[in-house]
Amino acid sequence: MNILAHIYLSGESDEIKIGNFIGDFVKASDMERFNEGINRGIKLHWAIDEFTDHHAVVQKSKDRLRPKYGHYAGVIIDIFYDHFLAKNWNDFHSTLLRTFVDDTYNMFNQNLDILPENVQYVLPYMIKNDWLYNYQYFDGIEKVMQGMANRSNFNSKMEQSIDELKKYHKEFEKEFQEFFPELIDFSKTFLEMKMNH
């Protein structure tokens, strides 16, 4: 659930942000419910996930966690990378993180009726606990991991992953800094390509 990155990579369009935000919660068969802009955002979300899952640098990050966390390593790395995006926000965006996050929360609230039911359920928790802003802090990441571990049907151990984030912070940050500019380029190209079709 690297929500901050997905929203950041959507550009300026609210519709694309909404689509990119709900991408994990919709199937291809749901897409007729949404307009073209939101559908572009959903497709961008899926393309970002595909690009990320197969990227060599991301694999390196995941490999560090895989022995302990198995297939949850990918979910954890998504959130770790959001931590580094929030922490280094000023390198990537001219708007302050606090402003960007508040604008995002307001925009989602104004479009609540468009969001799938399970997203409508998650959103108040996200805003109340200020996930997107608090990703920059260790305790913010720890709370998110704890929540995800509680919601998991299996013993994911995700609540312990803050230990690895602290222990390998420099390594993970270096991998994020190497990977993220490529993801930015990929997302821009994807949106431009879709614009022209």
Side-chain angles (χ1 to χ4, degrees):
M1 298 258 303
N2 49 340
I3 303 168
L4 185 62
H6 277 291
I7 296 163
Y8 167 79
L9 294 164
S10 300
E12 297 302 311
S13 161
D14 286 352
E15 288 183 345
I16 290 174
K17 285 177 185 172
I18 291 167
N20 208 339
F21 176 50
I22 65 176
D24 276 333
F25 298 90
V26 291
K27 301 190 285 288
S29 56
D30 299 325
M31 291 179 78
E32 63 203 25
R33 287 176 42 202
F34 304 110
N35 69 24
E36 193 187 337
I38 292 174
N39 281 331
R40 280 179 58 222
I42 294 168
K43 286 176 184 165
L44 174 62
H45 181 109
W46 295 342
I48 287 168
D49 283 357
E50 179 84 6
F51 180 83
T52 304
D53 288 345
H54 295 95
H55 198 284
V57 174
V58 180
Q59 290 300 336
K60 209 193 301 185
S61 293
K62 286 198 263 196
D63 287 346
R64 200 173 287 118
L65 297 179
R66 218 173 248 122
K68 182 172 174 183
Y69 300 100
H71 73 274
Y72 291 103
V75 180
I76 295 167
I77 291 301
D78 276 353
I79 294 170
F80 282 7
Y81 280 15
D82 255 8
H83 162 68
F84 293 113
L85 175 57
K87 179 178 168 285
N88 299 292
W89 182 257
N90 296 343
D91 296 343
F92 295 100
H93 209 293
S94 56
T95 304
L96 289 174
L97 180 62
R98 180 72 273 165
T99 308
F100 181 88
V101 165
D102 288 343
D103 289 349
T104 299
Y105 292 155
N106 290 335
M107 187 267 291
F108 286 150
N109 269 329
Q110 283 161 13
N111 292 281
L112 205 57
D113 54 327
I114 301 173
L115 305 177
E117 216 170 281
N118 39 9
V119 182
Q120 290 183 18
Y121 174 76
V122 169
L123 190 65
Y125 292 101
M126 186 174 128
I127 295 172
K128 182 170 175 260
N129 297 300
D130 203 3
W131 289 358
L132 300 185
Y133 189 74
N134 287 326
Y135 275 153
Q136 64 189 303
Y137 307 117
F138 284 138
D139 60 347
I141 293 292
E142 193 166 15
K143 279 184 189 138
V144 170
M145 292 299 187
Q146 186 68 61
M148 290 180 74
N150 292 344
R151 287 192 295 276
S152 169
N153 297 328
F154 304 96
N155 181 17
S156 65
K157 301 196 193 92
M158 277 193 277
E159 73 285 357
Q160 298 171 24
S161 63
I162 192 70
D163 299 340
E164 280 80 10
L165 180 61
K166 288 176 178 173
K167 186 176 177 184
Y168 300 108
H169 199 258
K170 279 198 178 68
E171 292 87 338
F172 284 128
E173 186 156 25
K174 184 172 173 287
E175 285 151 10
F176 166 79
Q177 295 284 13
E178 197 179 330
F179 164 70
F180 201 65
E182 288 187 36
L183 183 59
I184 291 171
D185 289 344
F186 170 82
S187 302
K188 279 184 183 157
T189 305
F190 181 91
L191 284 174
E192 281 161 12
M193 200 171 65
K194 290 279 172 195
M195 289 269 199
N196 298 330
H197 280 64

